[in-house]
Amino acid sequence: MTEIRARWWRRAAALLAACALAGAAGTACSSDDDTPEEGGGDPAAVAEGGVDEPTAAAAELPEGYENYESGLYAGDENWLCRPDLTDDVCHRDLDATVVNADGSTEVEPHEAAEDPPVDCFYVYPTTSNDQGPNSDLAPSEPEEISTVYNQAARLTASCRVFAPLYRQATLSSIGGGAAEGGRDDPWTTAYRDVLDAFRHYVVHESEGRGFVLVGHSQGAGLLNRLVQEEIDDEPLLRDRLVSAMLIGWPVAVPEGEVAGGDFENVPLCQTADQTGCVVSYESFRATAPPPDGSLFGRARTEGMRAACTNPAALDGGEATLQPYFVVDQPDGALLGGTTDAQPFADPAAGEEITTPFVTYPDFVSAECVEQGEYTYLALTVHGDPEDPRTDDIGGDLTPEWGMHLVDMNVAMGDLVDLVASQGDAYAARG
């Protein structure tokens, strides 16, 4: 991570809190009249016309979807991952080295599912350092590409992954302030692209399959709005929702309830074979809970709490996580950790790591905790100075951000397993 990018994130904190916690993706930082016009997120680029009959016939479509055409997502250029693209981010090497407590190692080959029963539609978090309120559609290796590699590519073990590029609200717009409201609001522009990509996916790519929505931070906020506006009250899409994994974004629920806050008909997941439900958490170290004014762990809606569902123990309690970290982050990368993963406390004493990822069994545990107005996933790192492994993980930035930078990496194996179990349950419904 470069110091320049770190300063952007620190400058962003106060403004992001005001925007995100007020509902930046749908209320305080955008107008009510900002839904994409039928035909795509960029109306000037839309080509009118019908859909291919075999795809359209795969499932009944909601009103407004039947003749949908996107000017941005019909081609290949604005997808970072799509199953038919053999050279995309999700087809990179995903093998991992398992580093055990005694210092022994073994290679864990990544196996992409040949015919998974469901799809994953993934939206990445704030990562672009482009100047101006919204990013361009030219992905950068340390920004969009490395983030998708960290957070979404491993899901190919359980689902087909679709990851669109989108014109997100940039680090500079969050840190420097951008016009709020109206169609020039950067969050509105970002949402219109995500909605455009989703509608294209449903009509032209999904073939009626069930889908998992996966997003982190800004990406989760945009998908939160998508569920509210497109899915929650629409049975034709809600019946195909396998789950919504909205990580690093405060999903609001009433105290002691699993639904009735942000979503009326999409509850929190409570078992690994439950479908049509939400997984959401925001992580902090157990030894460093959210201080007053923290950005995460607090609901946007008065009288509500932020949801917390431990992906390794949906029914509650503490459980061991399955983390995956990239060994060598590209220069300037931020999401996935602030430092390169060092598997051994003394790098010269351990075996050489030849895979791009590492994972540490029985190293991090997590439990959902309520403390005052905050509800969060408390992470405990079980570093032991007596064993040769590293004693800690990266991910800290400021106390108010908690472990936001590694929200997904720290439980990546659990999210992959959960997609698999929910996908099997969805397929078993017939």
Side-chain angles (χ1 to χ4, degrees):
M1 178 186 70
T2 66
E3 182 57 31
I4 291 175
R5 285 174 66 82
R7 286 199 300 268
W8 273 121
W9 277 86
R10 295 184 182 105
R11 285 180 60 198
L15 286 171
L16 182 59
C19 208
L21 296 178
T27 56
C29 293
S30 65
S31 70
D32 293 332
D33 183 24
D34 52 18
T35 301
E37 298 175 17
E38 183 176 335
D42 185 356
V46 172
E48 295 294 338
V51 301
D52 296 334
E53 189 62 29
T55 302
E60 187 179 356
L61 297 172
E63 183 179 356
Y65 281 66
E66 293 87 348
N67 296 311
Y68 194 83
E69 291 286 345
S70 170
L72 287 180
Y73 298 104
D76 299 346
E77 63 275 10
N78 290 324
W79 292 94
L80 286 165
C81 289
R82 204 178 65 194
D84 60 318
L85 303 178
T86 58
D87 59 349
D88 64 8
V89 180
C90 290
H91 285 85
R92 292 185 174 186
D93 185 1
L94 292 160
D95 291 351
T97 296
V98 180
V99 184
N100 298 302
D102 62 1
S104 64
T105 63
E106 56 185 309
V107 173
E108 176 187 275
H110 176 75
E111 297 182 5
E114 291 187 7
D115 187 22
V118 297
D119 296 339
C120 290
F121 183 89
Y122 165 79
V123 182
Y124 50 84
T126 308
T127 187
S128 175
N129 204 36
D130 291 347
Q131 297 304 301
N134 290 94
S135 65
D136 57 28
L137 292 172
S140 163
E141 183 69 38
E143 296 170 3
E144 295 91 348
I145 293 173
S146 70
T147 301
V148 174
Y149 188 48
N150 267 286
Q151 295 190 346
R154 190 163 297 278
L155 293 168
T156 55
S158 302
C159 58
R160 301 193 309 172
V161 176
F162 294 80
L165 278 166
Y166 72 103
R167 290 169 291 192
Q168 71 167 210
T170 61
L171 290 166
S172 60
S173 73
I174 294 172
E180 296 182 2
R183 292 192 177 272
D184 292 330
D185 169 46
W187 288 81
T188 298
T189 299
Y191 178 71
R192 293 174 71 201
D193 278 1
V194 169
L195 179 54
D196 185 22
F198 177 73
R199 287 180 171 175
H200 171 84
Y201 157 76
V202 168
V203 175
H204 297 280
E205 306 284 353
S206 73
E207 300 176 336
R209 295 159 61 92
F211 53 82
V212 180
L213 300 178
V214 184
H216 179 240
S217 197
Q218 179 176 166
L222 297 171
L223 289 176
N224 183 294
R225 181 176 174 185
L226 183 85
V227 174
Q228 290 185 55
E229 297 185 359
E230 298 288 301
I231 296 174
D232 193 35
D233 289 329
E234 176 48 75
L236 292 176
L237 292 178
R238 193 173 67 245
D239 288 349
R240 293 171 56 187
L241 177 67
V242 179
S243 67
M245 297 184 172
L246 309 180
I247 313 302
W249 181 267
V251 174
V253 291
E255 180 79 39
E257 302 293 335
V258 297
D262 283 349
F263 316 126
E264 290 294 330
N265 302 300
V266 183
L268 302 182
C269 296
Q270 297 180 285
T271 64
D273 60 356
Q274 182 180 357
T275 60
C277 56
V278 175
V279 173
S280 181
Y281 61 85
E282 297 154 286
S283 56
F284 286 79
R285 287 184 186 269
T287 55
D292 290 343
S294 291
L295 301 179
F296 304 105
R298 182 176 60 188
R300 298 174 288 114
T301 307
E302 185 176 354
M304 300 284 180
R305 297 200 71 90
C308 183
T309 51
N310 184 347
L314 292 174
D315 57 351
E318 187 175 16
T320 301
L321 300 179
Q322 303 175 57
Y324 284 86
F325 298 102
V326 173
V327 177
D328 294 309
Q329 291 272 62
D331 184 38
L334 185 64
L335 274 297
T338 56
T339 60
D340 292 340
Q342 295 297 332
F344 298 100
D346 179 4
E351 298 181 29
E352 180 183 4
I353 304 299
T354 60
T355 60
F357 285 86
V358 291
T359 182
Y360 309 123
D362 303 316
F363 193 64
V364 184
S365 61
E367 183 175 14
C368 288
V369 170
E370 287 192 12
Q371 179 176 296
E373 63 180 322
Y374 294 98
T375 310
Y376 59 96
L377 190 67
L379 304 179
T380 300
V381 181
H382 300 281
D384 184 349
E386 299 301 319
D387 75 42
R389 289 194 299 190
T390 183
D391 294 325
D392 206 356
I393 60 174
D396 308 272
L397 187 61
T398 71
E400 293 78 15
W401 285 81
M403 300 296 282
H404 190 66
L405 302 182
V406 292
D407 276 332
M408 292 194 65
N409 291 80
V410 79
M412 196 70 241
D414 304 284
L415 297 173
V416 171
D417 288 349
L418 186 53
V419 170
S421 62
Q422 291 177 325
D424 288 343
Y426 178 86
R429 287 166 37 184

